[in-house]
Amino acid sequence: MGKKTIVIGGGIIGLCSAYYLLKEGHEVTVIDKSNISDGASFINAGYLTPSHIIPLASPGMIAKGIKWMFNSASPFYMKPRLDSEFLSWAWYFHRSSTYGKVERAIPVIKDINILSRELFKSMKTSGDLGDFHLEREGLLMLYKTDAAGEEEIKISEKAKLLGLEVDLLDKNQLDALQPQLNIDARGAIHYGCDGHMTPTEFMPKMIAFLQSSGVTIKTNEEVLDMVVSNRGIEQLITTKDTYVPDEVVLAAGSWSGQLATKLKIKLPIQAGKGYAINMERPTGITIPAILMEAKVAVTPMKGFTRFAGTMEFSGINTIIRKERVQAIANAVNKFYPEIAINKEELASAQSGMRPVSPDGLPYIGRSSAIKNLTFATGHAMMGWSLGPATGKLVSEIVGGKRTSLDVGPFSPSRKF
């Protein structure tokens, strides 16, 4: 028999959770504090990335963070601040950035990404959402320097051992792949295992399908409190109503830590802001790419090309830092000399908050303190890629079924 389940959060993770909970026969309500029309689920790079096997918390990242801390235009930026939660998270991040922990995380990240990629494909085949943009052109890691190329080649060798499709391209091979495009790069690693989508097309189609199928979606409604009794959430109080759920799924992205605090649960999470610029003019770009030295993502989407990047830890805010947007534009022009982002396109840049756990793995699993609470958050830069897999796992957890993957590594109560 289906359970009355409330999903807090209407981003890609929350909606995919609602989708699979619906498929399992549960009565689902999604509650979001916004109108679900912007934020990280709409302005991301749209990647499906089995190739992204190395978590953000990796050896050397803290050193880079300190080096870049005083350069607000750097790809990875931590705003200096005395904030106990941030300092605690940064310490956990440091403890997670070891070779041993990264090696253990690699197959876990690969497996959940592969599962999610195939679930996206199944969604398209099912016709539930109608037709939507989903391509498998792979991902180019473009590099200008030998150092960057050698660094990615080491990662590609690990990817090959995991059975992922990888090709090393010199300049001539790169030019042959996109002959209509002038690319100023020494070479590239092409991950044929990756795909891409258009988030701004997919999200409204998912919302429309859920609503037409009986899922209740409450927008512009904020969760204020949760009443706990006998180790379970008995009431969920919002700005507009009070709910009595059988199950609660916390998928509120960067706000998940704040909501967990209301339940006296410590969930280490920080908001990592990213920026995106859309160009609706023709660019000639047909294959997604990451401009390695600048950490900028390039995606040919339906009707436009998106340039996205940066990981900025400056708290939860929607401030657009012009110097960071300009850094993305500068990087694009360096790699694609014939593409120049104009003032109007720069002015239309958007930002989104990505929820980042200290070790780079998401939180997916039952709460050890609250028996009817399941976490689904902390996906960092892989939120879009891992939406369906997370939703599938959530539905299996709520339904008491054997999960498609071992969720142990994603435990919300894991130690850092």
Side-chain angles (χ1 to χ4, degrees), residues 80-153:
R81 62 192 191 276
L82 290 175
D83 175 274
S84 60
E85 288 188 5
F86 173 71
L87 293 173
S88 176
W89 178 92
W91 172 244
Y92 294 147
F93 185 97
H94 168 70
R95 286 172 58 90
S96 300
S97 301
T98 67
Y99 287 103
K101 289 185 177 181
V102 168
E103 288 299 318
R104 288 193 292 275
I106 285 173
V108 173
I109 293 172
K110 188 268 292 188
D111 287 345
I112 191 171
N113 265 285
I114 292 287
L115 172 62
S116 211
R117 186 190 68 189
E118 297 310 301
L119 288 172
F120 265 124
K121 191 172 13 174
S122 296
M123 275 188 194
K124 187 175 175 74
T125 304
S126 74
D128 284 345
L129 280 63
D131 190 29
F132 59 83
H133 176 220
L134 175 63
E135 289 190 64
R136 179 84 175 275
E137 295 293 331
L139 176 67
L140 293 168
M141 302 295 289
L142 301 177
Y143 60 88
K144 283 179 171 289
T145 62
D146 288 336
E150 289 165 6
E151 180 183 342
E152 190 61 33
I153 286 170

Side-chain angles (χ1 to χ4, degrees), residues 69-328:
M69 189 174 283
F70 302 102
N71 177 9
S72 61
S74 62
F76 181 80
Y77 175 61
M78 292 185 178
K79 181 182 179 181
R81 62 192 191 276
L82 290 175
D83 175 274
S84 60
E85 288 188 5
F86 173 71
L87 293 173
S88 176
W89 178 92
W91 172 244
Y92 294 147
F93 185 97
H94 168 70
R95 286 172 58 90
S96 300
S97 301
T98 67
Y99 287 103
K101 289 185 177 181
V102 168
E103 288 299 318
R104 288 193 292 275
I106 285 173
V108 173
I109 293 172
K110 188 268 292 188
D111 287 345
I112 191 171
N113 265 285
I114 292 287
L115 172 62
S116 211
R117 186 190 68 189
E118 297 310 301
L119 288 172
F120 265 124
K121 191 172 13 174
S122 296
M123 275 188 194
K124 187 175 175 74
T125 304
S126 74
D128 284 345
L129 280 63
D131 190 29
F132 59 83
H133 176 220
L134 175 63
E135 289 190 64
R136 179 84 175 275
E137 295 293 331
L139 176 67
L140 293 168
M141 302 295 289
L142 301 177
Y143 60 88
K144 283 179 171 289
T145 62
D146 288 336
E150 289 165 6
E151 180 183 342
E152 190 61 33
I153 286 170
K154 290 178 183 177
I155 295 172
S156 73
E157 288 169 351
K158 294 179 184 291
K160 280 183 179 178
L161 291 174
L162 290 169
L164 299 176
E165 304 130 86
V166 185
D167 289 304
L168 306 185
L169 307 178
D170 60 23
K171 174 62 172 158
N172 291 332
Q173 291 169 316
L174 177 60
D175 289 342
L177 204 58
Q178 295 182 100
Q180 76 289 355
L181 196 59
N182 179 14
I183 304 176
D184 186 357
R186 184 161 293 191
I189 291 86
H190 185 208
Y191 290 99
C193 50
D194 289 10
H196 68 286
M197 301 173 62
T198 302
T200 51
E201 176 197 41
F202 181 88
M203 289 290 286
K205 289 194 173 190
M206 174 61 92
I207 291 170
F209 170 74
L210 292 174
Q211 289 178 320
S212 67
S213 302
V215 172
T216 301
I217 298 182
K218 301 280 190 175
T219 58
N220 300 307
E221 185 169 344
E222 185 175 358
V223 175
L224 297 177
D225 204 0
M226 287 167 275
V227 179
V228 177
S229 178
N230 193 28
R231 292 188 62 246
I233 297 172
E234 287 198 346
Q235 287 188 332
L236 192 148
I237 302 165
T238 74
T239 49
K240 296 182 179 179
D241 211 340
T242 298
Y243 301 85
V244 180
D246 295 323
E247 296 279 347
V248 174
V249 177
L250 183 51
S254 296
W255 291 266
S256 298
Q258 295 176 358
L259 288 169
T261 301
K262 295 179 183 295
L263 297 166
K264 297 183 174 63
I265 295 172
K266 185 177 181 181
L267 190 73
I269 203 164
Q270 283 292 309
K273 189 195 294 180
Y275 296 85
I277 306 166
N278 294 340
M279 181 179 284
E280 296 181 2
R281 297 175 284 134
T283 62
I285 297 169
T286 58
I287 301 175
I290 290 181
L291 316 181
M292 286 194 58
E293 286 86 350
K295 311 298 183 194
V296 168
V298 180
T299 316
M301 295 188 178
K302 192 172 181 178
F304 60 96
T305 301
R306 174 165 288 174
F307 305 101
T310 84
M311 178 62 83
E312 174 189 323
F313 293 101
S314 59
I316 296 178
N317 64 78
T318 56
I319 298 169
I320 303 288
R321 292 178 178 268
K322 292 181 180 180
E323 69 273 23
R324 300 185 68 71
V325 175
Q326 187 63 55
I328 293 172

Side-chain angles (χ1 to χ4, degrees), residues 323-338:
E323 69 273 23
R324 300 185 68 71
V325 175
Q326 187 63 55
I328 293 172
N330 293 344
V332 170
N333 189 241
K334 286 178 182 176
F335 279 83
Y336 304 100
E338 295 174 0

